[in-house]
Amino acid sequence: MNDLQAMEAALDQARRAAADGEVPVGAVLLASGDGRLLAAGANRTLSDADPTAHAEIVVLRDAAAASGAPRLPGTTLYVTLEPCLMCLGAMVHARIDRVVFAATDPKVGATRRFQEVPVDFFGLNHRLEIEGGLLAEPAAELLRDFFRLRR
């Protein structure tokens, strides 16, 4: 699976979340080398009554449980919305190599700030590659439509 296919899969997860009444954010985790799908998921904060059940966290938990290890090096996480600080912190702890996101989140998106902070500022011992904007418009449209229906 390549980057575009992976983000399409994340968008499918986001659509499922919307159908379940969750904020439509989806994510998938791939092995960086061969593009093998390791985990897929979506926001479950409402259904799980868990404020930490963001799509990224759901996917990291599932992949770690499946692998039997808390670290996931050699992986790329694709997510339909720019990660928040909590999710970026989890990615650092999981030691993923790269995160690719679709739509930017001007309110709580943390990638710009994360990239500007020196590694040793927070005592971070891992840096990940961050790329944004892949299929940004379909992801943003899904979010806009979801919130428009709730207003």
Side-chain angles (χ1 to χ4, degrees):
M1 194 177 294
N2 63 31
D3 285 354
L4 188 58
Q5 293 167 323
M7 191 59 78
E8 288 284 1
L11 280 166
D12 286 343
Q13 292 293 321
R15 289 182 193 100
R16 289 183 186 144
D20 291 340
E22 296 278 358
V23 174
V25 178
V28 298
L29 185 73
L30 302 184
S32 295
D34 61 10
R36 186 172 28 95
L37 179 67
L38 302 174
N43 273 2
R44 294 195 325 225
T45 57
L46 299 174
S47 59
D48 290 0
D50 178 356
T52 69
H54 292 190
E56 301 96 310
I57 302 295
V58 168
V59 165
L60 292 174
R61 286 177 181 160
D62 288 352
S67 73
R71 306 282 186 259
L72 302 165
T75 60
T76 299
L77 193 146
Y78 298 83
V79 62
T80 60
L81 184 63
E82 180 181 7
C84 69
L85 190 56
M86 173 187 71
C87 292
L88 279 171
M91 291 176 211
V92 168
H93 286 291
R95 306 293 194 274
I96 69 164
D97 292 345
R98 180 172 163 240
V99 61
V100 179
F101 66 89
T104 58
D105 185 343
K107 291 184 180 180
V108 297
T111 61
R112 184 180 47 77
R113 291 183 237 14
F114 185 80
Q115 289 174 310
E116 292 171 352
V117 175
V119 173
D120 60 353
F121 181 78
F122 289 121
L124 300 178
N125 57 0
H126 178 71
R127 239 337 162 186
L128 55 138
E129 184 182 335
I130 299 171
E131 297 174 31
L134 181 63
L135 295 180
E137 187 49 39
E141 184 177 345
L142 187 59
L143 286 158
R144 282 191 302 267
D145 290 349
F146 177 83
F147 286 111
R148 189 178 4 246
L149 290 172
R150 276 143 185 80
R151 291 187 182 130

